[in-house]
Amino acid sequence: LYPFKKNYLLLGTHKGGKVFNKLTGNFTRVVNGNNQKYFDVIKNSKPTILLGYYNMAIFDTAGSRYDKTIPLPLKYADRIISDKEGDFFLSQARHLIFMSGKFQQKILDYRISALHIDKSGDLWAGTWQNGLFKIKYKFINNKLIINSTQHFLSEENIRSLFEDSKGNIWAGTRY
């Protein structure tokens, strides 16, 4: 769910992208010339990028359509987030991977179910059955440096992550 213009929201669904007009209450399909399905808006991406099964697409907010298709840097990703530098964290099967240009590094060996980068720039990774991780990191001179990793709620299934206006991180769990 991504607000991109006054009174308009972009939604990524498993049936493709939709735009919701708050004034009329109507949904319209996003113009998609390549017939790919994009189901998730990549948080923090500039310009707005949507994730599909094999590709990413840049969203043209003025025309409410996909402007450019980009192949995924990995064969498959089920979660992806971008930091303020434009680097990506992607989850693939049972791994969390950091990517910057052609640089790739595996960070965690867990099934990732939610990703969030907080206001301080720290990565939060929710997992299926292994809880929540907070990762402080830097990427300098083509090297990922992990300053610290904290583990919370170690046996929980994390479904969603949210940061409130006070900077508190909220984790939605399965039960």
Side-chain angles (χ1 to χ4, degrees):
L1 190 62
Y2 174 75
F4 68 95
K5 283 193 232 179
K6 185 177 182 180
N7 298 315
Y8 290 90
L9 298 170
L10 173 64
L11 294 90
T13 74
H14 283 282
K15 292 186 177 186
K18 307 246 186 230
V19 172
F20 178 71
N21 181 327
K22 290 190 235 177
L23 298 175
T24 65
N26 293 327
F27 288 91
T28 55
R29 290 187 66 205
V30 175
V31 176
N32 184 358
N34 62 12
N35 209 23
Q36 294 285 324
K37 291 196 169 141
Y38 300 101
F39 55 84
D40 198 7
V41 177
I42 299 173
K43 287 184 192 178
N44 308 327
S45 59
K46 304 262 188 281
T48 304
I49 301 174
L50 279 89
L51 174 66
Y53 288 106
Y54 305 105
N55 295 298
M56 297 184 291
I58 294 175
F59 182 70
D60 172 14
T61 56
S64 294
R65 61 184 168 81
Y66 300 121
D67 191 34
K68 180 180 177 188
T69 301
I70 308 160
L72 271 172
L74 299 171
K75 183 177 179 183
Y76 172 79
D78 52 14
R79 301 281 182 272
I80 187 169
I81 193 167
S82 177
D83 67 12
K84 63 184 175 186
E85 304 302 322
D87 300 321
F88 292 102
F89 292 91
L90 301 98
S91 69
Q92 182 183 49
R94 299 193 60 82
H95 306 291
L96 177 62
I97 298 164
F98 172 81
M99 297 189 77
S100 179
K102 294 186 184 271
F103 178 86
Q104 294 183 27
Q105 183 175 327
K106 187 170 29 166
I107 300 172
L108 292 173
D109 286 322
Y110 296 106
R111 182 177 165 197
I112 304 298
S113 52
L115 292 170
H116 178 75
I117 295 178
D118 66 21
K119 293 173 185 166
S120 300
D122 298 329
L123 173 69
W124 292 79
T127 68
W128 188 254
Q129 299 179 332
N130 299 102
L132 179 63
F133 292 87
K134 179 183 180 183
I135 302 166
K136 291 182 176 280
Y137 70 95
K138 291 188 274 189
F139 185 64
I140 301 171
N141 298 326
N142 280 335
K143 184 171 181 171
L144 179 66
I145 300 164
I146 296 181
N147 297 324
S148 68
T149 302
Q150 294 176 284
H151 193 193
F152 306 96
L153 305 169
S154 62
E155 295 182 18
E156 292 291 334
N157 295 317
I158 306 298
R159 293 250 172 135
S160 60
L161 296 169
F162 174 77
E163 183 173 6
D164 66 22
S165 61
K166 295 179 182 175
N168 297 308
I169 301 296
W170 293 82
T173 62
R174 184 172 184 191
Y175 301 109

